[in-house]
Amino acid sequence: MVTKPVQAAPTAPTQRNPFDIVKATDLTDIQIDHLFVDFAKGSLVDRMNPLSRMPMILFGGKGSGKTHLMRYLSYPLQLSRSQALADVINEGYLGLYFRCSGLNAQRFAGKRQSPEVWAAVFSYYLELWLGQLVLSTAAPFLPATTEQRPFVEKALRLLDVPPAATSIGTGADLLVYLEDLQRACDVAINNCALTHTLDVRIQATSGHLVFGLPRVLAECFPHLQSVLFVYLIDELENLSEAQQRYIHTLLRERKDPCSFKVGVRLYGIRTYQTLGDEINHEDAEYEALRLDRELRDRPDLSEFAANLVSQRLKETGYAAVDSSQLASWFEEFDETKFAAELHAKYAKQGGSPHIHDLNEKLTRAAEQGSASGIRKRDIAKIITLLSNPDPILEKANCMLLYRAWHKRTGLLEAAESIAQSAEVYNNASSEDSEHQILRHFRGDIIAQLLKESRLPARYLGFKDFVSMSSGLPRGLLTILKHVFTWSNFYGEHPFREGQISAKAQAEGVKQASEWFFTEARAPGAIGGHVREAMTRLGQLLRAIRFSDKPSECSLSTFSVDAATVSPDALRVITTAEDWSMLLRVAGGQVDRNEGRVDDKYQVHPMLAPRWDLPIVRRGALVLSGDEANAIFAPSSPADFESVLRRRSDAMNAPFGRKGNQEPMLPGLERE
């Protein structure tokens, strides 16, 4: 029994949803600072290592917290955490953050200009952009205007075409001059579509401003000599392949006192090639941090998630909600209560649906002669032997009989053995009992009971929400956003009084899952193919989970030999992985027969409610190449329907047999 927490009224009562804003791009610098949380040990800031001169590429799925982390390391946030400018300098670095989406990079293409012309213009434009970023960030650290002249003179020599005017005497003047150069580029680029001419005069060589301005600052101002200028380049996926080559050139040709942290979506790298046709390699020219994988693998993820949510609540007036108490605010699944309610319901309706279904299947099989020596007169005895006042144990009895049926064991003898095993298990949970099946299939059995009782699948409680998010903080916040909204709708007082009901959680989880399915998809035709493939995969896994004799427990994972899969299907699988609909399982799956290591993928737990799948990963479905092609390659529905039918028939009584034939499908092993 969960004790309801006692919560004092917040000092400023509010109905505002603490989880309304889930994207870091929508947060102010102050909010970024106040809402940031980190791990107590092995912090993400330490993993980013802003003092390292080795460039880093930060890979992150949509909603992994990549932008929040990069903005947290930027100068405005450094300043907000410091008492004085000297404290920022003592950190040893200045974070220069910008988003590639702000460049409107699509402007640098077409308009009757060659790709080579646009590559040169883009490189020059970004030089001006980054040069302004350096100057504006360094401005508070510069001395009086009269002492800036030596710096300005050196900085102007970084330009291939120095200005004729002599009025540039300060860093602020130089900043204005670079702004004017950029504005002139904007005018030429924006009018190129009309004039079909690109009147841009390139006045700086690539890298001269990016590397030169920080170097000149360090040379001219002693207090900046030990400072590393870290370019935090976010949303690299918004740049074309040609434009990314410029960024990779900067990473490869890095010069002190500069370094780079480049943020990109999982699908966002279009090339690792530089402008000089060299290839950047991980751990040579850059190191990689895969953020969502990092979060998923953390043993203290639950603590991190609780702190993340608690901080959100405190920032919106729920000051008494402590991270250690967070789980107690959610109604959780009470298995004992559920079983008692089902027992009472079954008593009223004269038996359980699964016993009724088994009785029908045995009767039909006896009439057709397709069961293991079953006679009609034995059916009533079998039903009596398997019936149990505990619906969970009774459902396990049925699953064990279906296993015996699949093995062609005598069903009456099997029922007698199952009844004895149930008694032993019920009294002592003996390891010798066949009912140890409940150790692995308990979640699936409960899911089947919920389904046959026309009740929604249970994804309840903060622990389940953390598991569903699976390394995507935005996923967790989105779940809570919708749960909070539904709790208010039902007249509850979330995080102020009582618990958030199961029905509010169920509605919120369902809505969050639909959001993920809609948002986490590639654009264009391939995005449509991915959605169709994920729907087919979800249907197949669901059919197996709710079959009479599931081949695997907690089935949300599949494995396949990539060499047997068509290029079209592989492209869909890869795209689904890049957009986080599929999670690649490290180490793959060892094929028991041939010893090879197959690729292994889990359906992202955020999608689990769409098909009533488990959010944990245990068993894996082994797919043949033909089956994978039917699921993932754009194909006729008949191909998948054939796979679905064969798989379902093999796991539902009478298990796809005709007479005495017993076909064994690829990936379906005898137990």
Side-chain angles (χ1 to χ4, degrees):
M1 188 71 175
V2 177
T3 303
K4 292 185 177 181
V6 178
Q7 164 69 2
T11 54
T14 176
Q15 291 296 319
R16 177 188 168 192
N17 192 326
F19 313 104
D20 262 344
I21 301 177
V22 297
K23 295 173 61 177
T25 52
D26 295 333
L27 298 174
T28 65
D29 285 342
I30 293 175
Q31 289 172 320
I32 288 288
D33 189 31
H34 288 182
L35 297 177
F36 183 79
V37 298
D38 207 342
F39 291 91
K41 296 180 180 179
S43 74
L44 294 175
V45 171
D46 289 342
R47 290 287 284 116
M48 286 286 283
N49 194 6
L51 296 178
S52 172
R53 282 167 162 73
M54 179 71 151
M56 172 183 284
I57 297 180
L58 176 62
F59 295 90
K62 189 173 185 177
S64 61
K66 168 178 56 65
T67 294
H68 200 137
L69 178 57
M70 295 183 74
R71 285 185 63 186
Y72 184 78
L73 296 176
S74 67
Y75 165 70
L77 278 298
Q78 288 181 276
L79 185 61
S80 71
R81 296 190 295 271
S82 304
Q83 300 296 319
L85 291 174
D87 296 329
V88 177
I89 292 176
N90 289 336
E91 287 191 41
Y93 78 97
L94 284 179
L96 312 172
Y97 176 84
F98 84 97
R99 296 164 57 201
C100 292
S101 57
L103 294 169
N104 296 321
Q106 71 278 2
R107 296 182 301 155
F108 300 86
K111 306 181 183 71
R112 299 187 183 179
Q113 308 301 316
S114 70
E116 292 77 15
V117 168
W118 280 122
V121 171
F122 178 80
S123 299
Y124 174 54
Y125 191 90
L126 202 53
E127 282 288 319
L128 297 175
W129 184 296
L130 295 178
Q132 293 170 63
L133 184 60
V134 172
L135 291 172
S136 60
T137 303
F141 301 94
L142 301 185
T145 56
T146 55
E147 302 175 41
Q148 294 184 30
R149 188 69 193 181
F151 158 69
V152 171
E153 290 176 352
K154 286 188 175 183
L156 288 174
R157 286 197 287 271
L158 298 173
L159 297 171
D160 298 332
V161 184
T166 58
S167 59
I168 302 177
T170 66
D173 296 335
L174 181 56
L175 176 60
V176 171
Y177 181 69
L178 295 184
E179 289 173 347
D180 290 341
L181 292 178
Q182 180 192 330
R183 191 173 296 111
C185 282
D186 284 328
V187 171
I189 293 166
N190 295 338
N191 283 279
C192 183
L194 301 176
T195 64
H196 305 305
T197 60
L198 190 57
D199 189 15
V200 173
R201 189 185 186 197
I202 295 177
Q203 302 186 42
T205 300
S206 294
H208 281 200
L209 294 178
V210 173
F211 300 128
L213 284 175
R215 174 178 54 79
V216 172
L217 284 166
E219 290 174 354
C220 294
F221 306 114
H223 59 288
L224 296 177
Q225 286 180 356
S226 60
V227 172
L228 185 67
F229 290 77
V230 182
Y231 291 99
L232 302 164
I233 304 174
D234 198 8
E235 300 183 357
L236 184 70
E237 65 274 5
N238 288 306
L239 301 188
S240 68
E241 179 178 336
Q243 293 163 354
Q244 287 189 6
R245 290 180 66 178
Y246 170 72
I247 301 297
H248 284 296
T249 301
L250 294 179
L251 267 61
R252 189 177 188 90
E253 297 180 358
R254 183 207 70 83
K255 296 180 176 62
D256 285 338
C258 301
S259 190
F260 298 88
K261 309 291 182 186
V262 179
V264 64
R265 294 271 178 87
L266 298 177
Y267 60 84
I269 295 288
R270 307 181 195 283
T271 183
Y272 288 96
Q273 198 169 27
T274 69
L275 294 174
D277 292 330
E278 296 175 296
I279 303 295
N280 284 349
H281 297 282
E282 185 173 343
D283 296 328
E285 284 73 38
Y286 70 94
E287 58 183 332
L289 174 59
R290 294 170 176 84
L291 187 56
D292 36 1
R293 185 188 302 176
E294 175 91 8
L295 292 173
R296 281 198 300 273
D297 293 344
R298 290 286 189 125
D300 51 350
L301 176 60
S302 293
E303 181 183 352
F304 170 84
N307 290 334
L308 177 72
V309 173
S310 178
Q311 192 66 21
R312 285 265 178 163
L313 292 168
K314 290 176 182 177
E315 284 295 309
T316 45
Y318 297 84
V321 178
D322 187 81
S323 60
S324 62
Q325 301 174 336
L326 196 57
S328 62
W329 288 92
F330 298 89
E331 181 181 350
E332 296 188 353
F333 180 66
D334 188 329
E335 185 180 304
T336 302
K337 180 181 177 182
F338 170 67
E341 290 174 348
L342 275 191
H343 175 64
K345 180 180 179 180
Y346 294 162
K348 285 184 179 180
Q349 63 188 30
S352 62
H354 49 267
I355 287 291
H356 177 73
D357 184 56
L358 175 61
N359 185 48
E360 284 191 344
K361 290 181 177 180
L362 287 172
T363 300
R364 190 161 52 248
E367 291 172 348
Q368 298 173 353
S370 57
S372 299
I374 186 65
R375 295 170 296 184
K376 271 192 173 183
R377 65 173 179 266
D378 294 330
I379 294 176
K381 186 175 182 181
I382 290 174
I383 295 300
T384 300
L385 287 167
L386 298 184
S387 298
N388 194 287
D390 181 350
I392 296 175
L393 200 59
E394 184 180 77
K395 185 70 175 177
N397 290 347
C398 293
M399 186 177 289
L400 287 169
L401 189 79
Y402 285 126
R403 286 187 168 194
W405 190 339
H406 181 263
K407 294 177 181 178
R408 304 185 66 119
T409 303
L411 295 188
L412 179 57
E413 293 80 3
E416 292 171 344
S417 174
I418 291 167
Q420 294 174 2
S421 171
E423 185 176 357
V424 171
Y425 179 84
N426 206 30
N427 292 332
S429 295
S430 170
E431 292 289 335
D432 296 329
S433 169
E434 293 181 71
H435 285 74
Q436 288 304 315
I437 186 178
L438 285 167
R439 293 178 57 187
H440 302 293
F441 283 87
R442 194 178 205 92
D444 299 310
I445 287 173
I446 290 174
Q448 289 194 8
L449 289 171
L450 287 166
K451 178 177 178 290
E452 69 184 30
S453 300
R454 298 183 180 180
L455 296 172
R458 299 300 175 97
Y459 303 94
L460 298 179
F462 186 70
K463 182 179 179 181
D464 275 5
F465 299 162
V466 174
S467 296
M468 282 183 62
S469 63
S470 193
L472 297 178
R474 190 187 300 175
L476 174 62
L477 296 176
T478 300
I479 293 170
L480 293 172
K481 172 183 176 179
H482 293 304
V483 166
F484 188 97
T485 298
W486 279 101
S487 182
N488 268 334
F489 176 78
Y490 287 130
E492 300 166 4
H493 304 283
F495 304 109
R496 286 193 286 169
E497 180 183 327
Q499 288 184 303
I500 298 174
S501 66
K503 63 179 180 179
Q505 294 179 61
E507 293 290 353
V509 163
K510 179 181 177 182
Q511 199 167 347
S513 185
E514 289 301 317
W515 161 84
F516 190 85
F517 187 65
T518 301
E519 291 293 315
R521 61 166 180 163
I526 186 65
H529 295 325
V530 169
R531 284 167 61 90
E532 291 170 1
M534 292 303 300
T535 298
R536 291 193 289 264
L537 177 64
Q539 290 173 346
L540 176 61
L541 295 177
R542 185 178 191 274
I544 295 174
R545 189 188 196 199
F546 291 100
S547 65
D548 293 336
K549 191 200 72 64
S551 58
E552 301 287 350
C553 62
S554 299
L555 191 58
S556 63
T557 308
F558 72 91
S559 66
V560 66
D561 178 8
T564 65
V565 181
S566 72
D568 286 344
L570 279 177
R571 181 169 178 248
V572 172
I573 291 173
T574 301
T575 304
E577 179 188 3
D578 287 343
W579 286 80
S580 299
M581 284 192 167
L582 290 177
L583 303 178
R584 181 183 288 269
V585 179
Q589 174 103 346
V590 178
D591 181 82
R592 297 177 186 176
N593 297 321
E594 300 181 17
R596 68 173 184 274
V597 179
D598 292 341
D599 292 340
K600 189 175 182 181
Y601 299 91
Q602 179 187 8
V603 174
H604 197 289
M606 283 292 292
L607 295 173
R610 269 197 122 247
W611 301 290
D612 297 333
L613 300 179
I615 56 178
V616 297
R617 173 171 56 83
R618 285 185 178 170
L621 181 68
V622 181
L623 295 177
S624 69
D626 288 341
E627 289 176 319
N629 291 336
I631 295 170
F632 292 103
S635 58
S636 66
D639 295 334
F640 172 68
E641 289 299 326
S642 177
V643 170
L644 181 61
R645 184 171 56 255
R646 292 200 314 270
R647 285 284 190 171
S648 296
D649 288 349
M651 278 168 275
N652 288 290
F655 304 105
R657 297 192 186 96
K658 293 182 180 179
N660 294 323
Q661 294 179 355
E662 184 181 350
M664 293 301 297
L665 300 177
L668 183 62
E669 299 179 354
R670 295 180 183 273
E671 297 176 305

